Amino acid sequence: MVNASSPPPATATGALCLVTGATGYIGGRLVRELLAAGHRVRCLSRDPDRLRDQPWADRVERVRGDLCDPATLGPALKDVEVVHYLVHSLGSGPDFERTEATAARNLAEAAAAANVRRIVFLGGLLPSGVAPEALSPHLRSRARVGEILRSGPVPTAELRAAVVLGSGSASFEMLRHLTERLPVMVTPRWVRTLIQPIAVRDVLRYLVAAGELPPEVNRSFDIGGPDVLSYRDMMLRYARVAGLPHRVVLPVPVLTPALSSLWVGLVTPVPGGLARPLVESLRHEVVCRESDIRRWIPDPPEGLVGFEDAVRLALARIKDADVATRWSSAPVPGAPSDPLPTDPDWAGGSLYEDVRQSAVGASPADLWRVVEGIGGENGWYSFPLAWALRGVLDRVVGGVGLRRGRRDPHRLRIGDSLDFWRVEEIDAGSLLRLRAEMRLPGLAWLELRVQPDGPLRSRYLQRAVFHPRGLAGHLYWWSVAPFHGIVFGGMVRNIAREAARERPDPARRRQGSLVGRI
């Protein structure tokens, strides 16, 4: 069934486009561009509520469906003219290639049955002269998905891109943090490999325009920016644009992709599970072999965005806290998605809680500003060493760690990643519920509530909930329980204290406020 939050605006007269992967980095931005072009948009998601807080949510239809469940695709594709296929199962397990192939076949068959006129797929730029079995699993799977879609009855435009440069993209964040944090880098030899990066705004322009290609066009297209660079050149040019001192890059032959991904995972916010396919994709030269796309989609009058301009634009967005989507916008593959249980019976009678509260000498609005601003650069208002250590341990075992930060320093929306949590529910002014995405022997939530408590006073309520999985889960809870008074108790005290502080400019970022206090 199609769950529409509201009908498309009456002014939208363009094609009805179905966007898969609207919760992801590219998908979330593409919706906005399609709407701006006058198209009607329907978004497919296994959890449409995750799109509720998007700035364009009231202008699209939200569809509950799963590409691996063909029964859900028919209703989602009703009256759709163009499908934008932007999903992947990267990092979901050893069978991710099979999962991606199955999803592509399901979509191709359902699109044909629904008389869809065009599929647009964003794939990966392939190296020249490399056999499929020699490709990284990520690139091999992207190529296979494109082949499946193009071999179906619905004409498909497969756009193949290498490194996508834009504020919040995984590739850009990897480049940014490596360059900013390491003035001297001992690097693997793939930093000499040639790459043709492309700015995210050019990717979006191609994706929107490809929906209008004539029906006889059923093929792949290489897309890239005007610059062909090695990764070393990219780091040096980034440093110059960002105003950093000259970086020293020393390539060595002994760092394998596996070791490189661990190194990237330690230095950047990108976890090892995502860094490895990105690194593996850089082993081979990825440069456009053709530019046929220009026959149907000409370059804009000002030309394609060059590497240095793309970096400037991305850094400006980050500086202005105007990052629409981030690589972490998409759910972490394999991360729990269970809702917060309402009673212990849901967990078989085993549900641990740590519940605390405090009266606060501040208005609910002031207290809410502190609650909504938690995490990222503001920290967690208690025992920062403990939080940092937990983040390091999580990354060591392959988790996302504590460095994902926030998309926006002041505002949260459902689905946002927040360090190693994800926003499960938010009721502005009263409730913030976070679901843990760190590696745990169980499921965990952190719930922060704000209640009015008289004139210019409020009450802060905090609840940590843990549903253990097996004996390891019970042992984990009791091993960390002695520290809850310091960690969770410190949070309550310092959040209350911070809200009560005199703050002449409430919208200003609260840098370093009480983060180190207990």
Side-chain angles (χ1 to χ4, degrees), residues 26-348:
I26 295 290
R29 298 185 181 212
L30 178 61
V31 170
R32 182 180 60 187
E33 298 301 317
L34 290 169
L35 291 169
H39 294 294
R40 297 168 293 150
V41 178
R42 182 181 292 162
C43 298
L44 178 73
S45 175
R46 283 174 291 185
D47 183 7
D49 285 343
R50 286 199 59 213
L51 302 172
R52 189 185 73 194
D53 292 338
Q54 293 287 347
W56 37 256
D58 61 347
R59 302 175 60 199
V60 305
E61 295 178 81
R62 289 177 280 148
V63 182
R64 188 179 303 278
D66 187 340
L67 291 169
C68 290
D69 182 2
T72 66
L73 299 182
L77 288 164
K78 186 178 186 301
D79 299 325
V80 167
E81 297 177 62
V82 180
V83 173
H84 290 273
Y85 194 89
L86 303 172
V87 298
H88 62 75
S89 303
L90 192 62
S92 60
D95 292 332
F96 86 91
E97 291 183 70
R98 182 184 305 172
T99 300
E100 291 198 332
T102 299
R105 289 191 194 95
N106 291 342
L107 188 278
E109 293 171 3
N115 295 315
V116 171
R117 66 171 173 83
R118 164 70 58 193
I119 296 173
V120 180
F121 167 58
L122 180 61
L125 190 58
L126 300 178
S128 177
V130 179
E133 58 272 16
L135 294 173
S136 70
H138 167 56
L139 278 182
R140 186 171 60 239
S141 182
R142 296 282 81 192
R144 179 61 179 145
V145 168
E147 179 184 332
I148 291 170
L149 295 175
R150 285 185 283 106
S151 64
V154 179
T156 297
E158 178 188 358
L159 306 179
R160 294 175 170 176
V163 170
V164 176
L165 298 172
S167 58
S169 79
S171 297
F172 181 76
E173 289 299 293
M174 190 170 101
L175 173 68
R176 179 166 78 100
H177 284 82
L178 286 175
T179 308
E180 291 185 354
R181 293 181 174 177
L182 299 175
V184 178
M185 289 171 271
V186 177
T187 58
R189 58 187 174 188
W190 52 256
V191 299
R192 296 172 175 167
T193 303
L194 292 180
I195 306 162
Q196 191 164 354
I198 183 170
V200 66
R201 61 177 57 194
D202 284 326
V203 173
L204 295 170
R205 184 177 59 84
Y206 283 130
L207 286 170
V208 173
E212 302 302 320
L213 291 172
E216 65 270 17
V217 178
N218 181 55
R219 54 163 293 182
S220 64
F221 294 96
D222 292 353
I223 60 172
D227 301 302
V228 176
L229 306 164
S230 69
Y231 206 86
R232 177 182 181 276
D233 292 335
M234 289 168 60
M235 289 189 286
L236 295 178
R237 288 198 185 191
Y238 177 94
R240 186 163 61 245
V241 173
L244 302 172
H246 178 73
R247 267 36 189 168
V248 177
V249 182
L250 304 173
V252 295
V254 295
L255 288 177
T256 65
L259 290 174
S260 298
S261 64
L262 292 175
W263 165 64
V264 170
L266 289 173
V267 175
T268 80
V270 180
L274 179 56
R276 179 158 187 169
L278 292 177
V279 168
E280 287 180 334
S281 299
L282 299 173
R283 287 185 301 168
H284 306 291
E285 183 177 286
V286 278
V287 176
C288 295
R289 290 172 288 178
E290 45 83 10
S291 56
D292 297 349
I293 191 71
R294 292 173 177 166
R295 174 181 169 187
W296 291 276
I297 307 175
D299 291 348
E302 65 277 12
L304 299 176
V305 180
F307 175 82
E308 294 189 6
D309 285 337
V311 170
R312 289 189 187 96
L313 289 166
L315 291 177
R317 292 285 190 188
I318 293 169
K319 180 181 178 181
D320 295 339
D322 187 24
V323 180
T325 59
R326 299 178 71 223
W327 62 270
S328 56
S329 300
V332 175
S337 58
D338 310 65
L340 178 68
T342 56
D343 60 71
D345 291 339
W346 178 91

Side-chain angles (χ1 to χ4, degrees), residues 22-25 28 47 49-56 321 323-332 335-336 372-376 380 400 404-426 432-437:
T23 57
Y25 175 73
D47 183 7
D49 285 343
R50 286 199 59 213
L51 302 172
R52 189 185 73 194
D53 292 338
Q54 293 287 347
W56 37 256
V323 180
T325 59
R326 299 178 71 223
W327 62 270
S328 56
S329 300
V332 175
E372 193 177 14
I374 202 167
W380 292 87
V400 295
R404 289 191 301 184
R406 300 171 53 106
R407 176 191 56 83
D408 183 291
H410 309 301
R411 298 288 177 264
L412 293 173
R413 61 191 185 204
I414 287 180
D416 271 359
S417 62
L418 181 58
D419 294 329
F420 46 41
W421 304 89
R422 189 167 299 274
V423 179
E424 180 178 272
E425 183 59 70
I426 185 167
L432 173 62
R433 182 183 301 136
L434 307 175
R435 186 181 66 247
E437 290 190 337

